């Protein structure tokens, strides 16, 4: 029975990967906070004699990447979770810059990235730069490490689900929905379940590579608002604004990832956005209705 070790196994991506691998017959160790990501000895103990698959969901800096390498030497295949935040357009703009990036079409893995950096990775400017530095560290090692670059990750367990923006309005039975830029903004979603499917594909095909990770479809804001309203059986009038002063939604600013390289490797997604987001919407609906009920009882 193959064995996997997932660093950050209790997070959104880690839990989805663990669930998928276990369903496929893997033994999965997915430690949470009991393993200190900054402690090489604790990581070595977690790995033990080795693993068929090592997944790092907590690699944010070059220093993190350097602690990953000794473990990767004892793993058949390793996956590092990066982010689409590394990409820049021809003007050097990225998703966290003051002005949004502009790309001519879906972004491939060959698109230029930010320069590597070591400033605070929890800042807007530092996040992508540190991810690039971590990517360089693992890819320069020559080890069979696959870097995955997901976009807007969604799934059950997300602490800040973007879908809440529309779900709250649907449950409040708003008769209209305002959408900036005619609802045409697109920020490619990535289901944690689809990342898990790609991880399983990579596990069967060890190698050094960079792959975009995203849902098979990239719905715009209007389409997402319709998916969510339809899920709850709600109808509202759509007001499509020609400007972006009002009606901005969480998918207003972003871009689309090209996932053809992952598909060529054998990746088959778990489902499209509407399919993979359904469980999240059910959970959100239950939670938000409970909150509204408590508020109602207190009034």
């Amino acid at each position: 029975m193959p064995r996997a070790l997932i660093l950050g196994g209790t997070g959104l991506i880690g839990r989805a990967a663990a669930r998928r691998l276990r369903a496929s017959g893997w033994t999965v160790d997915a430690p949470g906070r009991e393993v200190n990501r900054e402690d090489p000895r604790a990581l070595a103990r977690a790995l033990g004699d080795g693993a068929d698959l090592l997944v790092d969901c907590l690699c944010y800096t070059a220093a993190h990447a350097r602690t990953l390498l000794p473990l990767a030497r004892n793993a058949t295949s390793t996956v590092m979770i990066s982010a689409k935040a590394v990409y820049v357009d021809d003007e050097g703009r990225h998703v966290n810059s003051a002005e949004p990036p502009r790309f001519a079409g879906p972004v491939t893995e060959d698109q230029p990235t930010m320069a590597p950096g070591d400033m605070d990775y929890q800042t807007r400017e530092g996040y992508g730069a540190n991810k690039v530095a971590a990517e360089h560290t693992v890819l320069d090692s020559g080890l069979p490490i696959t870097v995955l670059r997901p976009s807007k990750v969604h799934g059950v367990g997300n602490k800040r689900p973007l879908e809440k923006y529309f779900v709250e309005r649907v449950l409040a039975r708003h008769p209209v929905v305002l959408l900036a830029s005619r609802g045409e903004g697109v920020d490619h979603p990535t289901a944690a379940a689809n990342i898990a499917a790609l991880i399983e594909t990579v596990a069967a095909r060890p190698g050094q590579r960079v792959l975009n990770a995203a849902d098979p479809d990239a719905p715009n804001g209007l389409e997402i608002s319709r998916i969510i309203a339809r899920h709850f059986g709600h109808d509202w009038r759509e007001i499509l604004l020609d400007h972006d002063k009002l009606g901005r939604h969480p998918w207003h600013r972003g871009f689309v990832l090209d996932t053809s390289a992952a598909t060529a490797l054998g990746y088959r997604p778990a489902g499209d956005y509407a399919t993979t987001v359904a469980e999240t919407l059910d959970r959100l609906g239950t939670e938000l209705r409970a909150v509204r009920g408590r508020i109602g009882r207190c009034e």
Side-chain angles (χ1 to χ4, degrees):
M1 183 177 293
R3 175 181 180 249
L5 172 66
I6 303 176
L7 303 179
T10 58
L12 177 61
I13 296 173
R15 281 188 290 185
R19 180 165 57 181
R20 172 137 189 154
L21 292 170
R22 285 171 178 145
S24 297
W26 287 67
T27 296
V28 180
D29 292 320
R33 294 182 179 180
E34 66 270 19
V35 173
N36 184 353
R37 180 62 181 76
E38 312 290 338
D39 185 349
R41 288 178 295 183
L43 296 177
R45 287 194 296 270
L47 183 67
D49 294 331
D52 300 283
L53 173 65
L54 171 63
V55 181
D56 192 350
C57 303
L58 301 174
C59 190
Y60 297 102
T61 68
H64 290 157
R66 286 191 289 271
T67 63
L68 176 65
L69 296 183
L71 308 182
R73 294 188 182 98
N74 290 312
T76 304
S77 182
T78 298
V79 174
M80 174 216 156
I81 303 298
S82 186
K84 74 158 187 202
V86 302
Y87 289 121
V88 295
D89 66 9
D90 293 341
E91 302 298 325
R93 295 171 297 209
H94 51 86
V95 293
N96 290 319
S97 58
E99 290 187 29
R102 295 180 177 86
F103 301 100
V107 174
T108 70
E109 292 84 354
D110 295 328
Q111 181 69 30
T113 65
M114 300 175 68
D118 61 358
M119 67 285 284
D120 184 356
Y121 72 88
Q122 298 184 70
T123 64
R124 291 180 63 85
E125 283 295 323
Y127 181 75
N130 275 278
K131 280 289 191 181
V132 172
E135 288 187 4
H136 287 190
T137 300
V138 299
L139 295 173
D140 289 345
S141 71
L143 295 169
I145 300 177
T146 297
V147 172
L148 299 187
R149 294 173 177 165
S151 183
K152 282 266 199 294
V153 181
H154 64 94
V156 174
N158 191 336
K159 295 179 180 179
R160 293 187 294 274
L162 302 178
E163 291 75 18
K164 186 177 180 181
Y165 177 86
F166 286 126
V167 173
E168 286 180 328
R169 288 158 173 77
V170 166
L171 294 184
R173 296 300 168 186
H174 284 199
V176 301
V177 58
L178 302 178
L179 292 166
S181 303
R182 305 192 63 80
E184 294 172 356
V186 178
D187 200 353
H188 208 159
T190 306
N194 284 332
I195 299 175
L198 183 51
I199 288 172
E200 185 177 24
T201 300
V202 168
R205 297 164 178 81
Q208 186 180 99
R209 59 178 79 90
V210 177
L211 295 173
N212 287 334
D215 291 350
D217 56 333
N220 61 25
L222 174 59
E223 291 164 334
I224 288 175
S225 73
R226 289 175 174 175
I227 288 169
I228 293 175
R230 185 167 57 247
H231 183 87
F232 290 99
H234 181 60
D235 291 316
W236 50 18
R237 185 162 62 91
E238 299 161 350
I239 299 179
L240 308 182
L241 304 171
D242 291 323
H243 56 76
D244 64 356
K245 306 303 180 185
L246 296 173
R248 289 191 178 191
H249 51 80
W251 299 269
H252 176 71
R253 168 177 168 166
F255 53 90
V256 176
L257 295 177
D258 183 310
T259 58
S260 56
T263 301
L265 191 67
Y267 161 66
R268 298 295 179 267
D272 61 8
Y273 176 77
T275 300
T276 55
V277 81
E279 187 178 0
T280 294
L281 297 181
D282 287 338
R283 295 282 185 94
L284 269 174
T286 299
E287 292 168 5
L288 292 173
R289 287 188 184 102
V291 170
R292 290 168 63 87
R294 288 196 294 271
I295 292 174
R297 288 194 296 272
C298 294
E299 292 178 344

